[in-house]
Amino acid sequence: QRTHQKLGRELELFEFFDLAGPGLVFWLPRGAVVRYELERWHAGEHLRRGYQPVYTPHILRAKSWQVSGHLQNYRENMFGVLPLDDEAEERAHCGDGADEEGQGFDYGLKPMNCPGHILIYQSRLRSFRDLPLRLFEFGTVYRYERSGVLSGLLRVRGFTQDDAHIFCAPDQYEGEIERVLRFTMDTLDTFDFSYYVELSTRPEKSLGTDEQWELAEGGLRRVLEKFAIPYEVHEGEGTFYGPKIDFKVLDALDREWQTATVQLDFQLPQRFGLTFIGPDGREHEPIMIHRAIFGSFERFMALLTEHYGGAFPTWLSPEQVAVVPISDEVMDYARRVWEQSQARGLRAVLDTSDETLGKKIRNWTVRKVPYLFVVGRREAESGNVAVRSYFDGDLGAMPLSEALDRIEQEVKEKLSRFKE
């Protein structure tokens, strides 16, 4: 009853189409509203914590993926783009465009956002005074997941990460990881998720020296121990460029899914030749932190849908108020109630159907709308609304302004829960 695939269909949140291809999500209007509200809230939290927004292209030249190491270490998960008409010109600019097996690969759809953020870092000379530099992007990426592992929104081929990369001096990275962990826990606590933490160490296929990996893994352990966070160690499960901390969220069926990840990277700054000018006037190499908190909007939305059983809290709900007139006789008053609700910034809908009152109420209850304003002749004469809450039941008649104040306050309290 709580699987997000079932609820997604019933509540008209998202859809997949065979003609488009497996693992590619289409957000329907009601689901898009929930995602939009998540994005708006999450972007505000990033800005408040010193992150700067960026946007990067969906495709990059093969050369960038060669420098980053993705072609050598992640090629089987990447979607390629066929050579373009000006193939000769492109090859002249960026090398032969071939992977290590010699097969043409001029451009690649991005499986990750990190090379794009690195290019932005490289766009001008950086000083120690610029660091830490926190860049974030709600960036859509594409990865070739085998058809057998695709699972609704939980595992797809095209998804949008709440991605960020922090460029910092060597003496800053532990403090930055602490800030990321605090941001992550605040976010997961907002939605009352249960979770646990894993530390993943150097995999067999990796870049860098033993000394670099020991330093990176030691830094992550120190931060976790400082927070007194219990964690499990997964030997050999890190990324090819560095160790990582993962947050595993439990869904409604107690299955575990990775959401947030924090990855420490000594390799990509070196491979791209990143530098900053230190207090001594010399060039130094920064450290790079990769992190996502939702992980992806798709997976997070799946977990939220199951967690709430499709009954989203008022601040996230596709419709926050449904105005339900008892009869056409009070339609003019119902329309004024709807207009005033919208004027307050609430997502309100007016029921103009010719169904019976009982059927109207059932329809909106099935859609899990948080509030119903039922209006009849008595309410029209007194300027009241009869309020029904999906969560609290029948709240009785009250002045319209009081009912709207109640909903506004409920939304405001949720959005301001973690003001620092």
Side-chain angles (χ1 to χ4, degrees), residues 11-12 15 38 57 82 143 147 152 165 224 242 273 291 303 319 324 351 357 367 403-404 412 419:
L11 299 176
E12 299 178 8
E15 190 56 87
L38 284 173
L82 294 175
R143 299 178 187 174
S147 58
H165 294 91
L224 288 172
R291 53 110 290 208
L303 294 171
E319 302 95 1
V324 182
D351 191 330
L357 177 61
R367 291 170 77 88
L404 294 176
K412 181 179 179 182
K419 297 302 180 187

Side-chain angles (χ1 to χ4, degrees), residues 329-348:
E329 181 183 359
V330 293
M331 187 61 74
D332 287 344
Y333 176 66
R335 192 174 299 278
R336 290 197 297 274
V337 170
W338 170 64
E339 290 172 348
Q340 290 185 46
S341 301
Q342 286 193 313
R344 289 283 198 103
L346 299 178
R347 294 187 290 278

Side-chain angles (χ1 to χ4, degrees), residues 195-199 224-225 227-233 246-247:
Y195 56 86
Y196 69 94
V197 178
E198 293 179 348
L199 171 64
L224 288 172
E225 289 163 3
F227 270 78
I229 301 175
Y231 64 92
E232 299 177 3
V233 177
D246 290 330
F247 283 73

Side-chain angles (χ1 to χ4, degrees), residues 305-355:
T305 302
E306 297 186 358
H307 185 60
Y308 292 126
F312 296 103
T314 305
W315 72 279
L316 277 180
S317 182
E319 302 95 1
Q320 295 168 317
V321 180
V323 182
V324 182
I326 289 178
S327 66
D328 289 345
E329 181 183 359
V330 293
M331 187 61 74
D332 287 344
Y333 176 66
R335 192 174 299 278
R336 290 197 297 274
V337 170
W338 170 64
E339 290 172 348
Q340 290 185 46
S341 301
Q342 286 193 313
R344 289 283 198 103
L346 299 178
R347 294 187 290 278
V349 60
L350 175 62
D351 191 330
T352 60
S353 70
D354 58 359
E355 302 283 359

Side-chain angles (χ1 to χ4, degrees), residues 63-114:
K63 187 67 173 179
S64 65
W65 302 114
Q66 289 172 334
V67 175
S68 70
H70 285 90
L71 277 186
Q72 300 90 319
N73 296 277
Y74 203 75
R75 176 67 180 87
E76 66 276 9
N77 299 107
M78 293 180 65
F79 285 102
V81 178
L82 294 175
L84 306 179
D85 291 339
D86 54 354
E87 176 183 351
E89 180 182 349
E90 294 295 334
R91 291 180 186 278
H93 278 290
C94 63
D96 64 6
D99 61 22
E100 74 274 15
E101 296 177 352
Q103 298 177 354
F105 189 74
D106 291 325
Y107 279 78
L109 280 167
K110 63 178 180 180
M112 300 177 186
N113 298 297
C114 33

